[in-house]
């Protein structure tokens, strides 16, 4: 049983460019959340998707957007990249209502470096 | 801001039990306590979670006080591979899981 898978694992982008990160949730999970983890910090919640809609959002600008597909996989898009967007981007999957008692699993993340 | 307070670092001897404390005095009635750990450059690994009863699984035990304002994660027989940053998190609000800085647990040989 595959866990949460993310791609790519590492990438380098130039300031001002756009990036798309991808996530496939654990089998049986229908909810995907995205987190940003800067070096030396804990992960910060970006947003959560369920039934192809953004359900909750953290304190991130509109440059951060996402999408969920009918097969529950998800994409995170970041436009107009800034140097400060350099971070590990984590995908977490769960069943709907994850933090009300369901187990939440994280992928290994995508390392984004903006130069 | 994180809703939990943890010591920034702890040491434990290999083979001994590691007891990691966490304060969550503002936890609400429907919020669970989750524990994750993260080894450098990897995604957070789920350990255990609970609401108010003590929980145990193959990795650890979770002891939650009766007033639910604090909890302790217990790794019964620590190994060198348990060296990691351990996050205690309470969930149930509208802002996802709020991670703090966690506890850097160092297992000494």
């Amino acid at each position: 049983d595959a866990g949460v898978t993310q791609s790519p694992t590492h990438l380098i982008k130039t300031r001002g460019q756009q990036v798309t990160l991808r996530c496939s949730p654990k089998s049986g999970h229908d909810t995907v959340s995205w987190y940003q983890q800067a070096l030396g910090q804990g992960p910060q919640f970006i947003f959560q998707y369920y039934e192809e809609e953004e359900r909750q959002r953290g304190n991130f600008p509109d440059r951060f957007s996402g999408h969920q597909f009918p097969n529950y996989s998800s994409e995170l898009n970041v436009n107009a990249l800034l140097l400060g967007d350099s971070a590990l981007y984590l995908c977490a999957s769960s069943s709907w209502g994850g933090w009300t008692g369901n187990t939440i699993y994280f992928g290994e993340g995508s390392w984004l470096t903006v130069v | 801001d994180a809703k939990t307070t943890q010591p920034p670092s702890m040491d434990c001897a290999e083979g001994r039990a590691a007891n990691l404390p966490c304060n969550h005095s503002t936890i609400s009635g429907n919020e669970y306590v989750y524990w994750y750990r993260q080894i450098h450059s990897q995604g957070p690994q789920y350990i255990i979670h609970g609401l108010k009863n003590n929980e145990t699984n193959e990795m650890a035990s979770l002891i939650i006080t009766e007033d639910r304002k604090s909890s302790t994660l217990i790794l019964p027989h620590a190994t060198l591979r348990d060296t990691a940053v351990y996050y205690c998190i309470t969930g149930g609000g509208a802002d996802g899981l709020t991670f703090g800085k966690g506890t850097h647990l160092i297992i000494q040989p």
Side-chain angles (χ1 to χ4, degrees):
Chain A
D1 175 26
V4 182
T5 57
Q6 293 187 242
S7 64
T9 54
H10 294 81
L11 70 167
I12 301 173
K13 290 286 188 178
T14 302
R15 191 170 43 182
Q17 284 188 317
Q18 179 263 347
V19 67
T20 297
L21 308 177
R22 296 175 177 82
C23 171
S24 292
K26 183 178 171 63
S27 177
H29 285 177
D30 55 11
T31 303
V32 173
S33 300
W34 287 91
Y35 290 77
Q36 179 195 65
Q37 185 173 22
L39 207 58
Q41 304 295 318
Q44 301 296 310
F45 174 69
I46 303 175
F47 44 52
Q48 178 197 57
Y49 276 83
Y50 170 67
E51 290 188 335
E52 302 179 48
E53 290 187 13
E54 182 182 297
R55 299 290 178 164
Q56 298 181 358
R57 189 178 183 94
N59 188 25
F60 278 81
D62 292 344
R63 297 187 298 110
F64 290 77
S65 63
H67 188 76
Q68 186 179 35
F69 299 94
N71 67 353
Y72 309 123
S73 67
S74 176
E75 288 182 350
L76 164 66
N77 300 293
V78 187
N79 294 322
L81 284 168
L82 304 173
L83 297 178
D85 294 331
S86 295
L88 176 66
Y89 288 85
L90 296 160
C91 172
S93 83
S94 65
S95 298
W96 173 239
W99 47 78
T100 57
N102 296 327
T103 303
I104 302 167
Y105 293 97
F106 285 81
E108 291 300 324
S110 294
W111 280 102
L112 171 65
T113 301
V114 182
V115 297
Chain B
D1 290 340
K3 297 182 286 185
T4 62
T5 304
Q6 299 176 254
S9 65
M10 293 182 62
D11 289 347
C12 179
E14 189 177 18
R16 303 297 293 269
N19 296 274
L20 290 86
C22 178
N23 287 319
H24 31 80
S25 58
T26 61
I27 193 171
S28 61
N30 62 349
E31 286 187 315
Y32 282 72
V33 180
Y34 289 83
W35 283 85
Y36 286 82
R37 71 182 182 184
Q38 189 172 29
I39 297 169
H40 184 61
S41 300
Q42 297 181 16
Q45 178 189 20
Y46 168 79
I47 302 173
I48 199 167
H49 73 280
L51 183 62
K52 50 186 171 183
N53 297 320
N54 298 337
E55 302 287 345
T56 295
N57 63 20
E58 65 279 3
M59 287 184 68
S61 295
L62 173 60
I63 308 298
I64 303 174
T65 58
E66 192 169 341
D67 63 7
R68 301 207 329 119
K69 293 185 176 182
S70 65
S71 62
T72 301
L73 177 74
I74 301 172
L75 307 178
H77 304 288
T79 71
L80 298 178
R81 288 178 296 179
D82 292 322
T83 292
V85 177
Y86 287 75
Y87 294 101
C88 166
I89 304 152
T90 57
D95 53 358
L97 295 175
T98 302
F99 286 77
K101 292 187 180 293
T103 295
H104 187 195
L105 175 66
I106 300 171
I107 306 301
Q108 305 281 3

